[in-house]
Structure formats: C-alpha cells, structure tokens
Amino acid sequence: MDAKNRFETKTTFALSRLEWLAFLAVSLVLGYQHISEIRWGVFAGFFLAIDVIGYIPGAIAFRRSADKRIPRGYYVAYNVMHSLVTAGVLAGVWTLIHGPEWALLALPIHLMGDRALFGNSLKPFGVTFEPHTNPAYRAFQKQYSETTVGGARPPLEGTNAVGT
C-alpha cells in the first residue's frame, strides 16, 4: 500500500495483522505480568466503552435497516472510538488525572485484538457497516489478480517511479 494505491493484497494485509498481533501479544504479556496490579473495573470500563459507544449503536442500526444503509454518524463514532489516537488521548487524560495504571492496557488489547484477530480497523463511509465485500472491490480484486499473474507488472504512473 502506498499514497497512490490505498489497498492491500491478502499478503500485505496478513503482514499488517501480524504486526498488530505482535502488539497485542506484548500488551497481553504486560497485563499478565502485572495482573495483580490491574484495577479490573477500570480495565472493563475502557475495554467495553470502545464498543458500547463505537460499535453497538451502529451494529443495531445496521441490522434494523432494510437497505443496510445507516447514517454516517455511526461510522464516525466507530472510527473515533477505534482510533489509536483516541486511545492515546484517553490514556493520557486518565494518567494526568488518576496517574498511570496497568488497566489502561485494555485500550491496546481491545484495538489490537480487533485488528489482529478480526481484521477490523477503521470504516470508510462507502462500505457497509458490517463486513461485506463491495462489488466494486470484488471486481477490482479480480482485475488486479489477472494483471499480476505470472509476474506481470501493472503499468507505472509517472516517470520517477522507483524501479523503472
């Protein structure tokens, strides 16, 4: 993936998920090492808030929608709550007010679990709220795989492309 081609192949997506899995593993190991120091109420609050605010309302609206189209606000809520930036801000504000604590590991555990285990990250407006392959993307995948079969390279854009 790059700035001109914002998509991932199965391989690059698997590699991204592997990175997220490594981050999840580090978070889980830290949690295990400090299990007696975790305030479980705070942990559960942070862990659950991400989906209670960011996912569940949109999921309910999606299931209730006859045409499976829901307002963009649900996507925004999902993306805000599932953002690493939001998690960092929440952890920072909590730390300023209450001090650092191991319960904050709920944030990376939830977010990296979503990314590594389920393959979910932020949601663009142009896809359904729940995962379904967009027909245009399916057609793109087919065309892309046909142009790269047998080592053929797709045409390069511009004259300063690396490797030309």
Side-chain angles (χ1 to χ4, degrees):
M1 174 168 37
D2 59 39
K4 297 282 185 179
N5 302 287
R6 294 185 306 258
F7 68 93
E8 294 178 299
T9 65
K10 287 181 181 182
T11 301
T12 57
F13 187 60
L15 291 171
S16 292
R17 288 180 75 176
L18 187 61
E19 289 182 346
W20 299 328
L21 184 62
F23 190 7
L24 174 62
V26 168
S27 300
L28 289 169
V29 167
L30 286 170
Y32 181 75
Q33 289 176 333
H34 299 278
I35 199 162
S36 65
E37 301 169 61
I38 293 175
R39 291 194 305 152
W40 290 103
V42 174
F43 183 98
F46 276 117
F47 191 91
L48 294 173
I50 294 169
D51 282 343
V52 167
I53 297 168
Y55 171 68
I56 293 173
I60 291 170
F62 179 80
R63 283 171 179 76
R64 288 183 176 172
S65 171
D67 64 359
K68 303 304 180 195
R69 296 176 66 198
I70 61 174
R72 288 182 173 211
Y74 291 112
Y75 289 81
V76 172
Y78 181 94
N79 290 340
V80 167
M81 292 307 296
H82 287 81
S83 166
L84 294 171
V85 173
T86 301
V89 169
L90 288 172
V93 169
W94 185 271
T95 299
L96 286 173
I97 295 170
H98 301 284
E101 64 176 291
W102 293 108
L104 294 172
L105 284 171
L107 297 166
I109 288 171
H110 184 122
L111 297 177
M112 293 302 106
D114 278 357
R115 286 165 168 77
L117 303 176
F118 304 115
N120 296 331
S121 59
L122 304 180
K123 294 183 181 292
F125 294 134
V127 299
T128 58
F129 191 81
E130 293 290 359
H132 295 283
T133 304
N134 184 299
Y137 186 71
R138 183 175 292 126
F140 165 76
Q141 284 180 308
K142 184 178 185 305
Q143 182 181 2
Y144 180 79
S145 68
E146 290 171 356
T147 62
T148 58
V149 141
R153 294 174 58 188
L156 297 173
E157 178 181 322
T159 57
N160 62 350
V162 176
T164 59

